mmCIF file of all heavy atoms in Angstrom:
data_model
loop_
_atom_site.group_PDB
_atom_site.id
_atom_site.type_symbol
_atom_site.label_atom_id
_atom_site.label_comp_id
_atom_site.label_asym_id
_atom_site.label_seq_id
_atom_site.Cartn_x
_atom_site.Cartn_y
_atom_site.Cartn_z
ATOM 1 N N SER G 1 -7.895 -18.143 -10.781
ATOM 2 C CA SER G 1 -8.047 -17.293 -11.972
ATOM 3 C C SER G 1 -7.985 -15.813 -11.611
ATOM 4 O O SER G 1 -7.462 -14.998 -12.387
ATOM 5 C CB SER G 1 -9.356 -17.627 -12.686
ATOM 6 O OG SER G 1 -10.458 -17.518 -11.807
ATOM 7 N N THR G 2 -8.481 -15.450 -10.438
ATOM 8 C CA THR G 2 -8.383 -14.059 -9.999
ATOM 9 C C THR G 2 -6.925 -13.664 -9.803
ATOM 10 O O THR G 2 -6.493 -12.585 -10.233
ATOM 11 C CB THR G 2 -9.153 -13.850 -8.680
ATOM 12 O OG1 THR G 2 -10.513 -14.218 -8.849
ATOM 13 C CG2 THR G 2 -9.084 -12.397 -8.239
ATOM 14 N N LEU G 3 -6.147 -14.537 -9.171
ATOM 15 C CA LEU G 3 -4.737 -14.236 -8.928
ATOM 16 C C LEU G 3 -3.948 -14.117 -10.221
ATOM 17 O O LEU G 3 -3.025 -13.294 -10.319
ATOM 18 C CB LEU G 3 -4.124 -15.317 -8.028
ATOM 19 C CG LEU G 3 -4.549 -15.276 -6.560
ATOM 20 C CD1 LEU G 3 -3.989 -16.478 -5.805
ATOM 21 C CD2 LEU G 3 -4.099 -13.977 -5.901
ATOM 22 N N VAL G 4 -4.276 -14.924 -11.209
ATOM 23 C CA VAL G 4 -3.592 -14.837 -12.497
ATOM 24 C C VAL G 4 -3.739 -13.436 -13.081
ATOM 25 O O VAL G 4 -2.798 -12.877 -13.666
ATOM 26 C CB VAL G 4 -4.142 -15.899 -13.476
ATOM 27 C CG1 VAL G 4 -3.673 -15.622 -14.897
ATOM 28 C CG2 VAL G 4 -3.704 -17.291 -13.038
ATOM 29 N N VAL G 5 -4.913 -12.847 -12.924
ATOM 30 C CA VAL G 5 -5.171 -11.522 -13.484
ATOM 31 C C VAL G 5 -4.464 -10.428 -12.689
ATOM 32 O O VAL G 5 -3.871 -9.511 -13.266
ATOM 33 C CB VAL G 5 -6.694 -11.254 -13.542
ATOM 34 C CG1 VAL G 5 -6.983 -9.826 -14.005
ATOM 35 C CG2 VAL G 5 -7.377 -12.251 -14.461
ATOM 36 N N VAL G 6 -4.521 -10.500 -11.365
ATOM 37 C CA VAL G 6 -4.021 -9.388 -10.544
ATOM 38 C C VAL G 6 -2.566 -9.556 -10.123
ATOM 39 O O VAL G 6 -1.948 -8.591 -9.651
ATOM 40 C CB VAL G 6 -4.895 -9.207 -9.277
ATOM 41 C CG1 VAL G 6 -6.340 -8.938 -9.662
ATOM 42 C CG2 VAL G 6 -4.795 -10.399 -8.340
ATOM 43 N N LEU G 7 -1.989 -10.761 -10.294
ATOM 44 C CA LEU G 7 -0.626 -10.995 -9.808
ATOM 45 C C LEU G 7 0.409 -10.051 -10.420
ATOM 46 O O LEU G 7 1.285 -9.546 -9.690
ATOM 47 C CB LEU G 7 -0.230 -12.454 -10.037
ATOM 48 C CG LEU G 7 1.044 -12.915 -9.315
ATOM 49 C CD1 LEU G 7 0.901 -12.728 -7.808
ATOM 50 C CD2 LEU G 7 1.344 -14.385 -9.647
ATOM 51 N N PRO G 8 0.382 -9.776 -11.738
ATOM 52 C CA PRO G 8 1.371 -8.826 -12.273
ATOM 53 C C PRO G 8 1.316 -7.467 -11.591
ATOM 54 O O PRO G 8 2.356 -6.867 -11.321
ATOM 55 C CB PRO G 8 0.984 -8.735 -13.757
ATOM 56 C CG PRO G 8 0.318 -10.044 -14.055
ATOM 57 C CD PRO G 8 -0.432 -10.382 -12.810
ATOM 58 N N TRP G 9 0.119 -6.984 -11.311
ATOM 59 C CA TRP G 9 -0.005 -5.702 -10.617
ATOM 60 C C TRP G 9 0.516 -5.784 -9.191
ATOM 61 O O TRP G 9 1.195 -4.868 -8.716
ATOM 62 C CB TRP G 9 -1.459 -5.240 -10.632
ATOM 63 C CG TRP G 9 -1.772 -4.143 -9.659
ATOM 64 C CD1 TRP G 9 -2.617 -4.195 -8.594
ATOM 65 C CD2 TRP G 9 -1.234 -2.812 -9.657
ATOM 66 N NE1 TRP G 9 -2.645 -2.998 -7.922
ATOM 67 C CE2 TRP G 9 -1.795 -2.115 -8.552
ATOM 68 C CE3 TRP G 9 -0.316 -2.138 -10.466
ATOM 69 C CZ2 TRP G 9 -1.482 -0.807 -8.256
ATOM 70 C CZ3 TRP G 9 0.000 -0.819 -10.161
ATOM 71 C CH2 TRP G 9 -0.574 -0.163 -9.069
ATOM 72 N N LEU G 10 0.217 -6.877 -8.509
ATOM 73 C CA LEU G 10 0.694 -7.041 -7.136
ATOM 74 C C LEU G 10 2.221 -7.089 -7.094
ATOM 75 O O LEU G 10 2.848 -6.505 -6.202
ATOM 76 C CB LEU G 10 0.104 -8.315 -6.520
ATOM 77 C CG LEU G 10 -1.418 -8.345 -6.339
ATOM 78 C CD1 LEU G 10 -1.852 -9.688 -5.762
ATOM 79 C CD2 LEU G 10 -1.873 -7.203 -5.451
ATOM 80 N N ILE G 11 2.816 -7.767 -8.062
ATOM 81 C CA ILE G 11 4.283 -7.831 -8.125
ATOM 82 C C ILE G 11 4.862 -6.449 -8.418
ATOM 83 O O ILE G 11 5.819 -5.992 -7.773
ATOM 84 C CB ILE G 11 4.729 -8.854 -9.190
ATOM 85 C CG1 ILE G 11 4.323 -10.263 -8.763
ATOM 86 C CG2 ILE G 11 6.234 -8.765 -9.419
ATOM 87 C CD1 ILE G 11 4.590 -11.321 -9.817
ATOM 88 N N TRP G 12 4.276 -5.763 -9.410
ATOM 89 C CA TRP G 12 4.747 -4.427 -9.767
ATOM 90 C C TRP G 12 4.690 -3.482 -8.573
ATOM 91 O O TRP G 12 5.668 -2.778 -8.266
ATOM 92 C CB TRP G 12 3.899 -3.883 -10.914
ATOM 93 C CG TRP G 12 4.034 -2.404 -11.169
ATOM 94 C CD1 TRP G 12 3.316 -1.394 -10.586
ATOM 95 C CD2 TRP G 12 4.950 -1.764 -12.067
ATOM 96 N NE1 TRP G 12 3.715 -0.169 -11.057
ATOM 97 C CE2 TRP G 12 4.721 -0.364 -11.975
ATOM 98 C CE3 TRP G 12 5.935 -2.223 -12.941
ATOM 99 C CZ2 TRP G 12 5.435 0.560 -12.731
ATOM 100 C CZ3 TRP G 12 6.645 -1.287 -13.700
ATOM 101 C CH2 TRP G 12 6.402 0.074 -13.581
ATOM 102 N N SER G 13 3.561 -3.452 -7.893
ATOM 103 C CA SER G 13 3.396 -2.514 -6.780
ATOM 104 C C SER G 13 4.297 -2.879 -5.603
ATOM 105 O O SER G 13 4.740 -1.993 -4.854
ATOM 106 C CB SER G 13 1.934 -2.462 -6.338
ATOM 107 O OG SER G 13 1.466 -3.742 -5.963
ATOM 108 N N SER G 14 4.595 -4.167 -5.432
ATOM 109 C CA SER G 14 5.499 -4.574 -4.350
ATOM 110 C C SER G 14 6.936 -4.202 -4.665
ATOM 111 O O SER G 14 7.665 -3.688 -3.803
ATOM 112 C CB SER G 14 5.395 -6.085 -4.118
ATOM 113 O OG SER G 14 4.113 -6.454 -3.683
ATOM 114 N N VAL G 15 7.362 -4.444 -5.896
ATOM 115 C CA VAL G 15 8.736 -4.150 -6.306
ATOM 116 C C VAL G 15 9.022 -2.654 -6.231
ATOM 117 O O VAL G 15 10.117 -2.226 -5.827
ATOM 118 C CB VAL G 15 8.997 -4.692 -7.727
ATOM 119 C CG1 VAL G 15 10.328 -4.178 -8.265
ATOM 120 C CG2 VAL G 15 8.976 -6.215 -7.722
ATOM 121 N N HIS G 16 8.038 -1.835 -6.600
ATOM 122 C CA HIS G 16 8.253 -0.385 -6.685
ATOM 123 C C HIS G 16 7.654 0.378 -5.505
ATOM 124 O O HIS G 16 7.503 1.599 -5.576
ATOM 125 C CB HIS G 16 7.649 0.148 -7.988
ATOM 126 C CG HIS G 16 8.299 -0.396 -9.218
ATOM 127 N ND1 HIS G 16 9.527 0.049 -9.663
ATOM 128 C CD2 HIS G 16 7.895 -1.355 -10.092
ATOM 129 C CE1 HIS G 16 9.855 -0.607 -10.768
ATOM 130 N NE2 HIS G 16 8.885 -1.464 -11.051
ATOM 131 N N ALA G 17 7.327 -0.323 -4.426
ATOM 132 C CA ALA G 17 6.672 0.327 -3.283
ATOM 133 C C ALA G 17 7.511 1.443 -2.686
ATOM 134 O O ALA G 17 6.974 2.428 -2.161
ATOM 135 C CB ALA G 17 6.349 -0.715 -2.218
ATOM 136 N N ALA G 18 8.825 1.312 -2.751
ATOM 137 C CA ALA G 18 9.704 2.302 -2.127
ATOM 138 C C ALA G 18 10.168 3.387 -3.100
ATOM 139 O O ALA G 18 10.988 4.239 -2.724
ATOM 140 C CB ALA G 18 10.923 1.599 -1.524
ATOM 141 N N ASP G 19 9.674 3.382 -4.323
ATOM 142 C CA ASP G 19 10.125 4.369 -5.308
ATOM 143 C C ASP G 19 9.693 5.783 -4.940
ATOM 144 O O ASP G 19 10.404 6.750 -5.200
ATOM 145 C CB ASP G 19 9.582 4.022 -6.698
ATOM 146 C CG ASP G 19 10.275 2.808 -7.296
ATOM 147 O OD1 ASP G 19 11.017 2.126 -6.554
ATOM 148 O OD2 ASP G 19 10.067 2.523 -8.490
ATOM 149 N N VAL G 20 8.523 5.901 -4.347
ATOM 150 C CA VAL G 20 8.000 7.214 -3.965
ATOM 151 C C VAL G 20 8.626 7.633 -2.639
ATOM 152 O O VAL G 20 8.780 6.820 -1.716
ATOM 153 C CB VAL G 20 6.465 7.170 -3.844
ATOM 154 C CG1 VAL G 20 5.922 8.520 -3.384
ATOM 155 C CG2 VAL G 20 5.837 6.773 -5.172
ATOM 156 N N ALA G 21 8.999 8.903 -2.537
ATOM 157 C CA ALA G 21 9.584 9.420 -1.298
ATOM 158 C C ALA G 21 8.617 9.210 -0.129
ATOM 159 O O ALA G 21 7.405 9.342 -0.294
ATOM 160 C CB ALA G 21 9.904 10.898 -1.459
ATOM 161 N N PRO G 22 9.128 8.874 1.057
ATOM 162 C CA PRO G 22 8.255 8.599 2.213
ATOM 163 C C PRO G 22 7.250 9.705 2.504
ATOM 164 O O PRO G 22 6.114 9.434 2.878
ATOM 165 C CB PRO G 22 9.247 8.420 3.364
ATOM 166 C CG PRO G 22 10.497 7.924 2.704
ATOM 167 C CD PRO G 22 10.549 8.632 1.380
ATOM 168 N N VAL G 23 7.639 10.955 2.310
ATOM 169 C CA VAL G 23 6.745 12.059 2.633
ATOM 170 C C VAL G 23 5.531 12.104 1.708
ATOM 171 O O VAL G 23 4.503 12.699 2.032
ATOM 172 C CB VAL G 23 7.518 13.396 2.579
ATOM 173 C CG1 VAL G 23 7.889 13.754 1.137
ATOM 174 C CG2 VAL G 23 6.727 14.511 3.247
ATOM 175 N N LEU G 24 5.640 11.456 0.543
ATOM 176 C CA LEU G 24 4.556 11.485 -0.444
ATOM 177 C C LEU G 24 3.727 10.204 -0.479
ATOM 178 O O LEU G 24 2.785 10.102 -1.256
ATOM 179 C CB LEU G 24 5.133 11.730 -1.848
ATOM 180 C CG LEU G 24 5.842 13.069 -2.074
ATOM 181 C CD1 LEU G 24 6.456 13.107 -3.462
ATOM 182 C CD2 LEU G 24 4.873 14.224 -1.889
ATOM 183 N N ARG G 25 4.056 9.229 0.343
ATOM 184 C CA ARG G 25 3.414 7.926 0.216
ATOM 185 C C ARG G 25 1.943 7.929 0.641
ATOM 186 O O ARG G 25 1.189 7.039 0.262
ATOM 187 C CB ARG G 25 4.203 6.880 1.009
ATOM 188 C CG ARG G 25 5.515 6.523 0.323
ATOM 189 C CD ARG G 25 6.365 5.563 1.110
ATOM 190 N NE ARG G 25 7.693 5.449 0.505
ATOM 191 C CZ ARG G 25 8.716 4.830 1.057
ATOM 192 N NH1 ARG G 25 8.583 4.260 2.260
ATOM 193 N NH2 ARG G 25 9.881 4.778 0.438
ATOM 194 N N GLY G 26 1.540 8.905 1.403
ATOM 195 C CA GLY G 26 0.134 8.982 1.753
ATOM 196 C C GLY G 26 -0.743 9.221 0.543
ATOM 197 O O GLY G 26 -1.864 8.720 0.455
ATOM 198 N N SER G 27 -0.226 9.982 -0.432
ATOM 199 C CA SER G 27 -0.990 10.305 -1.640
ATOM 200 C C SER G 27 -0.564 9.492 -2.849
ATOM 201 O O SER G 27 -1.333 9.369 -3.807
ATOM 202 C CB SER G 27 -0.834 11.800 -1.969
ATOM 203 O OG SER G 27 -1.341 12.607 -0.927
ATOM 204 N N TYR G 28 0.661 8.953 -2.828
ATOM 205 C CA TYR G 28 1.180 8.273 -4.003
ATOM 206 C C TYR G 28 1.631 6.834 -3.737
ATOM 207 O O TYR G 28 1.959 6.113 -4.681
ATOM 208 C CB TYR G 28 2.373 9.047 -4.583
ATOM 209 C CG TYR G 28 2.013 10.397 -5.153
ATOM 210 C CD1 TYR G 28 2.059 11.551 -4.377
ATOM 211 C CD2 TYR G 28 1.620 10.528 -6.485
ATOM 212 C CE1 TYR G 28 1.734 12.790 -4.893
ATOM 213 C CE2 TYR G 28 1.296 11.763 -7.018
ATOM 214 C CZ TYR G 28 1.347 12.887 -6.214
ATOM 215 O OH TYR G 28 1.014 14.120 -6.741
ATOM 216 N N GLY G 29 1.653 6.432 -2.481
ATOM 217 C CA GLY G 29 2.119 5.085 -2.163
ATOM 218 C C GLY G 29 0.999 4.059 -2.188
ATOM 219 O O GLY G 29 -0.138 4.343 -2.575
ATOM 220 N N ARG G 30 1.312 2.857 -1.740
ATOM 221 C CA ARG G 30 0.324 1.771 -1.724
ATOM 222 C C ARG G 30 -0.710 2.029 -0.628
ATOM 223 O O ARG G 30 -0.388 2.466 0.470
ATOM 224 C CB ARG G 30 1.024 0.428 -1.479
ATOM 225 C CG ARG G 30 2.060 0.071 -2.529
ATOM 226 C CD ARG G 30 2.767 -1.218 -2.165
ATOM 227 N NE ARG G 30 1.876 -2.379 -2.312
ATOM 228 C CZ ARG G 30 2.176 -3.595 -1.856
ATOM 229 N NH1 ARG G 30 3.302 -3.787 -1.190
ATOM 230 N NH2 ARG G 30 1.346 -4.596 -2.050
ATOM 231 N N TYR G 31 -1.957 1.711 -0.961
ATOM 232 C CA TYR G 31 -3.045 1.915 0.006
ATOM 233 C C TYR G 31 -2.825 1.110 1.285
ATOM 234 O O TYR G 31 -2.944 1.632 2.389
ATOM 235 C CB TYR G 31 -4.381 1.479 -0.615
ATOM 236 C CG TYR G 31 -4.930 2.411 -1.654
ATOM 237 C CD1 TYR G 31 -4.991 2.028 -2.994
ATOM 238 C CD2 TYR G 31 -5.416 3.675 -1.304
ATOM 239 C CE1 TYR G 31 -5.512 2.877 -3.957
ATOM 240 C CE2 TYR G 31 -5.940 4.528 -2.261
ATOM 241 C CZ TYR G 31 -5.982 4.116 -3.580
ATOM 242 O OH TYR G 31 -6.503 4.960 -4.526
ATOM 243 N N LEU G 32 -2.523 -0.173 1.118
ATOM 244 C CA LEU G 32 -2.440 -1.059 2.274
ATOM 245 C C LEU G 32 -1.328 -0.642 3.224
ATOM 246 O O LEU G 32 -1.517 -0.609 4.450
ATOM 247 C CB LEU G 32 -2.234 -2.508 1.812
ATOM 248 C CG LEU G 32 -2.243 -3.563 2.923
ATOM 249 C CD1 LEU G 32 -3.592 -3.556 3.645
ATOM 250 C CD2 LEU G 32 -1.946 -4.956 2.346
ATOM 251 N N GLY G 33 -0.171 -0.301 2.674
ATOM 252 C CA GLY G 33 0.941 0.119 3.518
ATOM 253 C C GLY G 33 0.618 1.388 4.286
ATOM 254 O O GLY G 33 0.955 1.521 5.477
ATOM 255 N N TRP G 34 -0.055 2.325 3.628
ATOM 256 C CA TRP G 34 -0.433 3.578 4.271
ATOM 257 C C TRP G 34 -1.409 3.328 5.417
ATOM 258 O O TRP G 34 -1.256 3.857 6.512
ATOM 259 C CB TRP G 34 -1.057 4.487 3.219
ATOM 260 C CG TRP G 34 -1.667 5.752 3.740
ATOM 261 C CD1 TRP G 34 -0.999 6.840 4.243
ATOM 262 C CD2 TRP G 34 -3.058 6.056 3.821
ATOM 263 N NE1 TRP G 34 -1.901 7.810 4.619
ATOM 264 C CE2 TRP G 34 -3.172 7.362 4.368
ATOM 265 C CE3 TRP G 34 -4.215 5.378 3.465
ATOM 266 C CZ2 TRP G 34 -4.401 7.976 4.577
ATOM 267 C CZ3 TRP G 34 -5.430 5.996 3.665
ATOM 268 C CH2 TRP G 34 -5.522 7.273 4.220
ATOM 269 N N PHE G 35 -2.425 2.478 5.166
ATOM 270 C CA PHE G 35 -3.423 2.202 6.198
ATOM 271 C C PHE G 35 -2.819 1.432 7.364
ATOM 272 O O PHE G 35 -3.071 1.742 8.534
ATOM 273 C CB PHE G 35 -4.588 1.421 5.589
ATOM 274 C CG PHE G 35 -5.676 1.086 6.575
ATOM 275 C CD1 PHE G 35 -6.555 2.061 7.006
ATOM 276 C CD2 PHE G 35 -5.804 -0.206 7.069
ATOM 277 C CE1 PHE G 35 -7.559 1.763 7.917
ATOM 278 C CE2 PHE G 35 -6.803 -0.517 7.976
ATOM 279 C CZ PHE G 35 -7.683 0.470 8.409
ATOM 280 N N LEU G 36 -2.011 0.417 7.051
ATOM 281 C CA LEU G 36 -1.399 -0.367 8.110
ATOM 282 C C LEU G 36 -0.434 0.476 8.936
ATOM 283 O O LEU G 36 -0.277 0.252 10.144
ATOM 284 C CB LEU G 36 -0.674 -1.576 7.516
ATOM 285 C CG LEU G 36 -1.571 -2.659 6.906
ATOM 286 C CD1 LEU G 36 -0.729 -3.792 6.333
ATOM 287 C CD2 LEU G 36 -2.558 -3.193 7.939
ATOM 288 N N GLY G 37 0.214 1.443 8.292
ATOM 289 C CA GLY G 37 1.092 2.344 9.030
ATOM 290 C C GLY G 37 0.320 3.161 10.061
ATOM 291 O O GLY G 37 0.750 3.314 11.208
ATOM 292 N N GLY G 38 -0.842 3.668 9.637
ATOM 293 C CA GLY G 38 -1.687 4.404 10.578
ATOM 294 C C GLY G 38 -2.222 3.513 11.679
ATOM 295 O O GLY G 38 -2.299 3.915 12.846
ATOM 296 N N LEU G 39 -2.571 2.274 11.305
ATOM 297 C CA LEU G 39 -3.084 1.320 12.291
ATOM 298 C C LEU G 39 -2.000 0.953 13.305
ATOM 299 O O LEU G 39 -2.261 0.827 14.505
ATOM 300 C CB LEU G 39 -3.594 0.073 11.584
ATOM 301 C CG LEU G 39 -4.372 -0.935 12.428
ATOM 302 C CD1 LEU G 39 -5.628 -0.299 12.998
ATOM 303 C CD2 LEU G 39 -4.743 -2.158 11.583
ATOM 304 N N HIS G 40 -0.774 0.789 12.820
ATOM 305 C CA HIS G 40 0.337 0.452 13.709
ATOM 306 C C HIS G 40 0.632 1.605 14.670
ATOM 307 O O HIS G 40 0.920 1.386 15.857
ATOM 308 C CB HIS G 40 1.583 0.132 12.878
ATOM 309 C CG HIS G 40 2.803 -0.141 13.708
ATOM 310 N ND1 HIS G 40 2.987 -1.317 14.406
ATOM 311 C CD2 HIS G 40 3.918 0.623 13.948
ATOM 312 C CE1 HIS G 40 4.140 -1.276 15.041
ATOM 313 N NE2 HIS G 40 4.729 -0.112 14.779
ATOM 314 N N ALA G 41 0.527 2.820 14.154
ATOM 315 C CA ALA G 41 0.848 3.977 14.993
ATOM 316 C C ALA G 41 -0.279 4.314 15.970
ATOM 317 O O ALA G 41 -0.020 4.688 17.115
ATOM 318 C CB ALA G 41 1.143 5.192 14.110
ATOM 319 N N GLY G 42 -1.531 4.151 15.513
ATOM 320 C CA GLY G 42 -2.656 4.578 16.336
ATOM 321 C C GLY G 42 -3.418 3.468 17.018
ATOM 322 O O GLY G 42 -4.140 3.716 17.990
ATOM 323 N N GLY G 43 -3.294 2.230 16.492
ATOM 324 C CA GLY G 43 -3.983 1.095 17.094
ATOM 325 C C GLY G 43 -5.498 1.207 17.007
ATOM 326 O O GLY G 43 -6.049 1.911 16.149
ATOM 327 N N LEU G 44 -6.185 0.555 17.922
ATOM 328 C CA LEU G 44 -7.641 0.544 17.941
ATOM 329 C C LEU G 44 -8.234 1.946 18.105
ATOM 330 O O LEU G 44 -9.247 2.258 17.453
ATOM 331 C CB LEU G 44 -8.146 -0.371 19.049
ATOM 332 C CG LEU G 44 -9.673 -0.558 19.142
ATOM 333 C CD1 LEU G 44 -10.221 -1.132 17.847
ATOM 334 C CD2 LEU G 44 -10.024 -1.440 20.333
ATOM 335 N N PRO G 45 -7.644 2.829 18.920
ATOM 336 C CA PRO G 45 -8.195 4.197 19.010
ATOM 337 C C PRO G 45 -8.227 4.913 17.660
ATOM 338 O O PRO G 45 -9.126 5.715 17.406
ATOM 339 C CB PRO G 45 -7.246 4.891 19.985
ATOM 340 C CG PRO G 45 -6.721 3.787 20.844
ATOM 341 C CD PRO G 45 -6.582 2.607 19.921
ATOM 342 N N PHE G 46 -7.253 4.621 16.807
ATOM 343 C CA PHE G 46 -7.221 5.201 15.462
ATOM 344 C C PHE G 46 -8.441 4.766 14.655
ATOM 345 O O PHE G 46 -9.107 5.570 13.995
ATOM 346 C CB PHE G 46 -5.922 4.780 14.766
ATOM 347 C CG PHE G 46 -5.927 4.927 13.276
ATOM 348 C CD1 PHE G 46 -5.809 6.169 12.687
ATOM 349 C CD2 PHE G 46 -6.024 3.806 12.457
ATOM 350 C CE1 PHE G 46 -5.805 6.302 11.309
ATOM 351 C CE2 PHE G 46 -6.016 3.926 11.082
ATOM 352 C CZ PHE G 46 -5.905 5.177 10.496
ATOM 353 N N VAL G 47 -8.785 3.474 14.723
ATOM 354 C CA VAL G 47 -9.939 2.948 13.997
ATOM 355 C C VAL G 47 -11.230 3.533 14.553
ATOM 356 O O VAL G 47 -12.125 3.951 13.807
ATOM 357 C CB VAL G 47 -9.968 1.404 14.077
ATOM 358 C CG1 VAL G 47 -11.228 0.854 13.415
ATOM 359 C CG2 VAL G 47 -8.719 0.819 13.430
ATOM 360 N N VAL G 48 -11.344 3.558 15.877
ATOM 361 C CA VAL G 48 -12.556 4.080 16.513
ATOM 362 C C VAL G 48 -12.749 5.558 16.194
ATOM 363 O O VAL G 48 -13.859 6.008 15.875
ATOM 364 C CB VAL G 48 -12.495 3.865 18.038
ATOM 365 C CG1 VAL G 48 -13.673 4.550 18.731
ATOM 366 C CG2 VAL G 48 -12.478 2.373 18.364
#
């Protein structure tokens, strides 16, 4: 039942994830992609 409610938003945000210019995605892009990007670049030292 939770997925039924949030699935349209998840689909929308996935389909349009690349609409915002890369330079603006920190402030206007998806939260998860932004965080995972920092995690990928910085690894555990980034989290610490």
Side-chain angles (χ1 to χ4, degrees):
S1 55
T2 302
L3 287 174
V4 167
V5 175
V6 301
L7 192 59
W9 165 244
L10 296 178
I11 294 174
W12 166 272
S13 58
S14 296
V15 170
H16 296 283
D19 288 11
V20 177
V23 70
L24 297 175
R25 287 176 190 170
S27 298
Y28 293 91
R30 300 176 71 191
Y31 286 112
L32 185 61
W34 172 71
F35 180 75
L36 291 179
L39 190 61
H40 176 75
L44 184 59
F46 162 75
V47 176
V48 173

